[in-house]
Structures are given as C-alpha cells and as structure tokens.
C-alpha cells in the first residue's frame, strides 16, 4: 500500500531539490541535507515525489548519493538550462563558429575524462583532464579528419554538406592554440583559452576538482560529472561526434568515447538533457 504524501514531505522534496541546485554543498557538511538524501534513497514514495517535483521544475534527477548529494540535470527548454549560446555570450564571443567550438570542447573534455565505456559505467573510476591534453586530443582528431577529407575531396577542403560537428573540427584546426592579450593574459578566443574557461566552468559547477597548479594543471572528475556525462553520451551531439568515424588519440594512447551501443537507450517520452544543447 502506497504511503500518503504529507505537506511535510512536499516541503522536504523542495528542500532536497534546493540542496541539489547548490553543486558545492555536500551532505557530509549538512545534517539536514544528509537526512534528506537518506530519505530519498530509502523511501520510494518520497523518491517519486522528489523526481516528479523536479520534472515539474524542468529538472531530471540523475541520482543521489551521500557523498555528492542530489545530482540534477536541466531538461530541454528548462529555465535552469545553460544554453551554449548564453555560455558563449558570457565569454564575450559571438557567432555560430564560436558556439560550435565551445560545444566540441565540452564534448572532448567528457570523452577524454571517460575514454572507455567501462570507465563511464564504473562508479569508482576517476578521470583526469588538462587544457593541454584536451587541446592535443582535439588537434589529433583534426589531423585525422583532414586526412579523411583529403581522401574524398580534391584539395582536402571539408565539403559544405559535412556534418555540423565535422565543420567545427575544421574551424578548430584553424584557431591558434594560444595567444596573449595586451596585458599578457591568455586570450579567450584561442583554443587553450576556451578550454581553460570550460574547465573552470565545470569546476565551479562541482563537476571537476583541481589537482594541479598552473595553466596546464590537471583536473579530476567527480561522481557528479560522471552522472552528467552518462546523460551526455545519449544526446544527439555526442552521437554525431561518434558518427564521424574518427578515433581521437591522446598521449595516453587510444581514446574511445562511449558509443550509442554502450549506453542505455532513452525511454519513450524522455526529454533530452545534459550540460549543454549544442
């Protein structure tokens, strides 16, 4: 028999969602938060209430753990969604090419952080990324795509009807790796500047944690980011990246991102969600 839902339960559900909207907050440091996570994990009626309330707000519950708390993702067209065009606008950059470049950088970070399907599925796995590693990985892929284009097109130019992301790889290859502003700072329109912004954004969101100092320092993934990337792996943008038929390479060896056969298919009626909509 289903337990009745009380007004206190409704208030608790709202509180738990509010906690989940603060990615830096952890149940270990807040007794109320920890109690609500335990309630979510042990009471099926309360869990359903939290998930339905979140969906009504335009959010999807990705999971809840006592170490990371409640993990949420914004559904498509949600007021909480971070659209890539807004992200680019904050970076004071404009244009379709900038939107594509920032989008492919975030896809590359996710693929480099979890290079094998088994890594993405393993809750104990911790990935590591750096601005240098991401830039090298993308440029290696650009070289492979250039060779692929040269085999089918005279002169090696990317055909105008190439997939959207393939055109983005070509644009990325033409962008300087690093350039400095007049005051000596890393220019944000260079690829290293764009990657650094992406890594800092993911850190602010509680998805990455800094493990090395300096511009080329390393970041480790958090369980919260792993849950997000599992959702990202089922999006059309990630599918198109896999569909290019290119295996990105890094200094650590072969890098293989999870393909459609390695992740669960979305259920009928599920909205697309994730970090960005590219």
């Amino acid at each position: 028999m289903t337990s009745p839902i009380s007004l206190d339960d409704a208030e608790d559900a709202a509180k738990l969602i509010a906690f989940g909207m603060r990615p830096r907050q952890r149940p270990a440091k807040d007794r109320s938060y920890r109690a609500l996570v335990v309630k979510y994990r042990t009471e099926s009626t309360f869990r359903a209430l939290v998930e339905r309330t979140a969906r009504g707000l335009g959010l999807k519950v990705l999971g809840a753990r006592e170490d990371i708390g409640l993990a949420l993702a914004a559904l498509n067209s949600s007021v909480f969604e971070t659209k890539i065009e807004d992200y680019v606008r904050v970076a004071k950059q404009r244009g379709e090419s900038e939107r594509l470049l920032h989008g492919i950088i975030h896809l590359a970070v996710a693929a480099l952080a979890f290079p094998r399907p088994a890594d993405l599925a393993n809750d104990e796995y911790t990935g590591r990324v750096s601005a240098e590693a991401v830039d090298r990985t993308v440029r290696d892929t650009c070289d492979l795509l250039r060779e692929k284009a040269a085999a089918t097109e005279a002169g090696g130019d990317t055909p105008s009807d190439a997939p959207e992301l393939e055109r983005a790889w070509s644009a990325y290859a033409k962008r300087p790796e690093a350039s400095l502003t007049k005051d000596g700072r890393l220019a944000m329109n260079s690829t290293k500047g764009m990657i650094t912004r992406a890594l800092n954004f993911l850190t602010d969101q509680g998805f990455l944690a800094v493990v090395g100092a300096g511009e080329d320092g390393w970041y480790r993934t958090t369980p919260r980011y792993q849950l997000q990337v599992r959702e990202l792996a089922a999006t059309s943008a990630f599918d198109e990246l896999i569909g290019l038929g290119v295996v990105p390479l890094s200094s650590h060896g072969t890098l293989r991102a999870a393909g459609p056969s390695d992740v669960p298919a979305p259920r009928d009626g599920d909205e697309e969600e994730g970090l960005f909509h590219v």
Side-chain angles (χ1 to χ4, degrees):
M1 181 176 181
T2 303
S3 301
I5 296 174
S6 68
L7 292 178
D8 287 341
D9 289 330
E11 183 176 352
D12 283 348
K15 286 180 179 178
L16 181 55
I17 293 169
F19 277 125
M21 296 294 290
R22 302 182 181 97
R24 297 282 192 137
Q25 196 156 353
R26 295 289 183 269
K29 296 183 178 180
D30 191 300
R31 185 178 303 174
S32 297
Y33 192 2
R34 184 168 60 252
L36 289 172
V37 169
V38 171
K39 185 175 181 179
Y40 173 89
R41 291 170 62 88
T42 58
E43 298 182 19
S44 59
T45 300
F46 180 69
R47 181 165 58 251
L49 176 62
V50 171
E51 293 173 355
R52 291 293 295 271
T53 302
R55 183 169 290 276
L57 292 170
L59 299 166
K60 179 180 178 179
V61 178
L62 301 180
R65 290 170 36 174
E66 291 183 47
D67 55 344
I68 64 171
L70 188 74
L72 299 166
L75 296 170
N76 191 21
S77 300
S78 167
V79 68
F80 300 108
E81 179 187 14
T82 300
K83 292 181 179 295
I84 193 69
E85 53 263 35
D86 296 333
Y87 174 87
V88 171
R89 191 178 302 118
V90 171
K92 298 182 179 179
Q93 296 166 347
R94 297 289 188 274
E96 179 69 9
S97 64
E98 299 300 321
R99 186 180 77 88
L100 291 173
L101 289 178
H102 280 286
I104 208 164
I105 284 170
H106 275 275
L107 290 174
V109 170
L112 185 59
F114 301 99
R116 299 168 302 180
D119 299 332
L120 192 56
N122 182 4
D123 289 340
E124 304 303 318
Y125 181 83
T126 299
R128 292 180 183 271
V129 295
S130 72
E132 177 66 28
V134 173
D135 192 62
R136 186 168 59 249
T137 295
V138 178
R139 291 189 182 278
D140 285 347
T141 304
C142 290
D143 291 341
L144 292 176
L145 275 171
R146 189 180 300 111
E147 294 173 5
K148 179 183 176 183
T152 56
E153 291 288 326
D157 292 333
T158 302
S160 59
D161 61 346
E164 184 178 70
L165 285 177
E166 189 167 346
R167 295 198 302 272
W169 292 110
S170 178
Y172 191 102
K174 298 175 183 177
R175 187 65 61 96
E177 176 183 341
S179 58
L180 300 178
T181 62
K182 292 181 179 179
D183 57 2
R185 291 177 298 139
L186 187 65
M188 286 295 101
N189 63 349
S190 65
T191 57
K192 288 286 283 294
M194 297 167 77
I195 294 167
T196 298
R197 168 173 164 73
L199 295 175
N200 289 338
F201 170 83
L202 293 171
T203 300
D204 290 341
Q205 296 296 311
F207 297 137
L208 298 178
V210 179
V211 293
E215 177 185 319
D216 292 325
W218 286 82
Y219 298 74
R220 65 171 173 80
T221 61
T222 66
R224 182 181 292 269
Y225 187 50
Q226 187 177 46
L227 291 173
Q228 289 278 353
V229 175
R230 286 174 183 170
E231 296 296 316
L232 177 65
T235 64
S236 58
F238 209 91
D239 284 347
E240 188 171 3
L241 174 60
I242 301 303
L244 292 177
V246 175
V247 179
L249 302 177
S250 74
S251 62
H252 305 292
T254 299
L255 172 65
R256 180 179 181 278
S261 62
D262 302 313
V263 296
R267 296 184 300 271
D268 292 341
D270 276 1
E271 293 94 336
E272 183 178 272
E273 68 282 315
L275 291 175
F276 294 105
H277 294 281
V278 183

